[in-house]
């Protein structure tokens, strides 16, 4: 069911009851990238995307033709594994109302971690960590600069390094700043290494899960 057309051509999310979510997949793994790399985590990948990165490696997540699961069912599955870290991702997860899911996870003692491009309002969802990864394909909402705990910019070409600085100038001083080489652009790794060495306010994020061949 791989989809290669732009997200705007995909069907909208179906009508959902409060606390229900279109879920592409949910599974136990190690967090592969960013500040929590190596941390055992339960990943919840929601369906639907309004961004459409051409280098996206989970284009199946763009559409909404996936099962609908409740926040309680997802949180119960996560809690049953014994981990204490849950990552809500996509697709673009902010197409959904994340409040009930975040609350269900936190009620069971899990940290609720969101990974988002920041293209839709976050609402009243209470989260323990927000990874904000803006994309050139659709501008993020200004609210995410103040909410981000971690700014993660994917580097596909050299100009992305300049573009990243524009976003870094808007986040909180305490926000981590990470540059991540785009997996299918091998030379981007050396660009990021060189840039971090000459601009030490940045850290490099490596997609360790791909090197380890785990989800």
């Amino acid at each position: 069911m791989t989809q290669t057309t732009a997200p705007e051509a995909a069907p909208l999310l179906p009508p959902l009851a409060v606390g229900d979510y279109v879920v592409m997949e949910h599974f136990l793994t190690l967090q592969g990238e960013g500040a929590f790399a190596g941390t055992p985590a339960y990943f919840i990948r929601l369906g639907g995307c309004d961004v459409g990165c051409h280098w996206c490696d989970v284009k199946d997540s763009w559409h909404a033709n996936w099962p609908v699961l409740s926040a309680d069912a997802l949180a119960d599955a996560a809690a049953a594994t014994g981990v204490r870290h849950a990552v809500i991702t996509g697709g673009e997860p902010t197409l959904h109302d994340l409040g009930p899911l975040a609350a269900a996870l936190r009620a069971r003692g899990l940290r609720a971690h969101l990974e988002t491009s920041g293209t839709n309002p976050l609402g009243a969802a209470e989260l323990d960590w927000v990874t904000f990864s803006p994309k050139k394909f659709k501008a993020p909402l200004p609210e995410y600069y103040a909410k981000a705990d971690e700014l993660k910019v994917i580097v596909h070409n050299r100009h992305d390094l300049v573009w990243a600085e524009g976003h870094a100038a808007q986040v909180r001083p305490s926000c981590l700043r990470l540059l991540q080489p785009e997996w299918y652009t091998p030379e981007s790794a050396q660009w990021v290494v060189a840039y971090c060495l000459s601009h030490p306010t940045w850290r490099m994020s490596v997609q360790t899960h791909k090197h380890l061949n785990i989800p």
Side-chain angles (χ1 to χ4, degrees), residues 17-197:
V18 174
D20 281 353
Y21 299 88
V22 173
V23 182
M24 176 186 170
E25 57 184 352
H26 55 110
F27 54 91
L28 177 64
T29 188
L30 296 179
Q31 170 67 288
E33 58 193 50
F36 290 93
T39 302
Y42 199 82
F43 264 63
I44 300 170
R45 188 180 303 283
L46 302 181
C49 184
D50 58 348
V51 184
C53 306
H54 66 83
W55 35 257
C56 177
D57 55 4
V58 283
K59 288 188 172 70
D60 281 353
S61 68
W62 290 5
H63 65 75
N65 189 25
W66 297 108
V68 174
L69 299 174
S70 71
D72 284 333
L74 290 164
D76 284 343
T81 66
V83 300
R84 288 294 175 260
H85 191 77
V87 180
I88 306 168
T89 185
E92 175 42 58
T94 60
L95 288 170
H96 295 257
D97 174 6
L98 299 178
L101 179 55
L105 292 167
R106 299 181 83 207
R108 290 160 177 80
L110 286 94
R111 290 170 50 87
H113 177 161
L114 173 66
E115 294 191 353
T116 178
S117 295
T119 54
N120 301 277
L122 189 52
E126 294 187 19
L127 297 152
D128 296 291
W129 190 268
V130 175
T131 297
F132 172 41
S133 184
K135 306 297 192 302
K136 291 180 176 178
F137 309 101
K138 185 171 183 179
L141 299 180
E143 68 180 83
Y144 283 90
Y145 295 99
K147 295 176 178 177
D149 298 292
E150 174 182 10
L151 172 69
K152 184 175 68 179
V153 177
I154 310 302
V155 177
H156 175 65
N157 57 54
R158 287 183 181 275
H159 180 264
D160 290 333
L161 298 168
V162 177
W163 187 76
E165 292 289 0
H167 294 288
Q170 301 178 68
V171 297
R172 297 174 295 169
S174 61
C175 181
L176 299 179
R177 294 155 172 81
L178 287 86
L179 298 172
Q180 182 167 294
E182 197 279 308
W183 182 256
Y184 299 108
T185 310
E187 61 270 30
S188 64
Q190 292 307 310
W191 301 339
V192 171
V193 168
Y195 197 83
C196 289
L197 289 175

Side-chain angles (χ1 to χ4, degrees), residues 5-16:
T5 55
E8 289 77 12
L12 298 174
L13 292 179
L16 295 169

